[in-house]
Amino acid sequence: NSEDVRCKCICPPYKDHSGHIYNKNVSQKDCDCLHVVEPMPVPGPDVEAYCLRCECKYEERSSVTIKVSSAILLA
């Protein structure tokens, strides 16, 4: 299920841009700032410096397991 995977990038403040958290459903190999941060908040020359500050993490979960566990807890 495509909703069970995501890439989460946490980007701290940079120059006059505030910090932001970006989420996007991408493959594990595309889990980086250049593929996830849209729209890019900084102009071309600052993209590399901005992306170096971002921490991107690939996350997987099983929504079926979560639903079953919730049903058991609520029963």
Side-chain angles (χ1 to χ4, degrees), residues 44-63:
D46 287 334
V47 168
E48 185 176 358
Y50 181 79
C51 281
L52 286 173
R53 299 169 55 90
C54 296
E55 181 182 334
C56 297
K57 190 184 314 182
Y58 185 74
E59 299 175 342
E60 291 183 75
R61 66 178 183 187
S62 172
S63 58

Side-chain angles (χ1 to χ4, degrees), residues 10-21 41-42 49-50 53-54:
I10 301 172
C11 301
Y14 178 78
K15 294 189 177 178
D16 59 341
H17 300 281
S18 61
H20 195 77
I21 297 174
V42 296
Y50 181 79
R53 299 169 55 90
C54 296

Side-chain angles (χ1 to χ4, degrees), residues 2-58:
S2 64
E3 297 171 1
D4 288 343
V5 296
R6 71 174 178 182
C7 182
K8 180 178 183 180
C9 291
I10 301 172
C11 301
Y14 178 78
K15 294 189 177 178
D16 59 341
H17 300 281
S18 61
H20 195 77
I21 297 174
Y22 300 89
N23 293 304
K24 190 171 183 184
N25 292 339
V26 295
S27 66
Q28 190 169 6
K29 69 177 183 69
D30 290 333
C31 184
D32 59 37
C33 174
L34 294 175
H35 289 97
V36 176
V37 177
E38 289 179 355
M40 187 61 68
V42 296
D46 287 334
V47 168
E48 185 176 358
Y50 181 79
C51 281
L52 286 173
R53 299 169 55 90
C54 296
E55 181 182 334
C56 297
K57 190 184 314 182
Y58 185 74

Side-chain angles (χ1 to χ4, degrees), residues 63-75:
S63 58
V64 173
T65 303
I66 294 169
K67 288 176 186 175
V68 170
S69 298
S70 298
I72 291 171
L73 288 172
L74 295 173

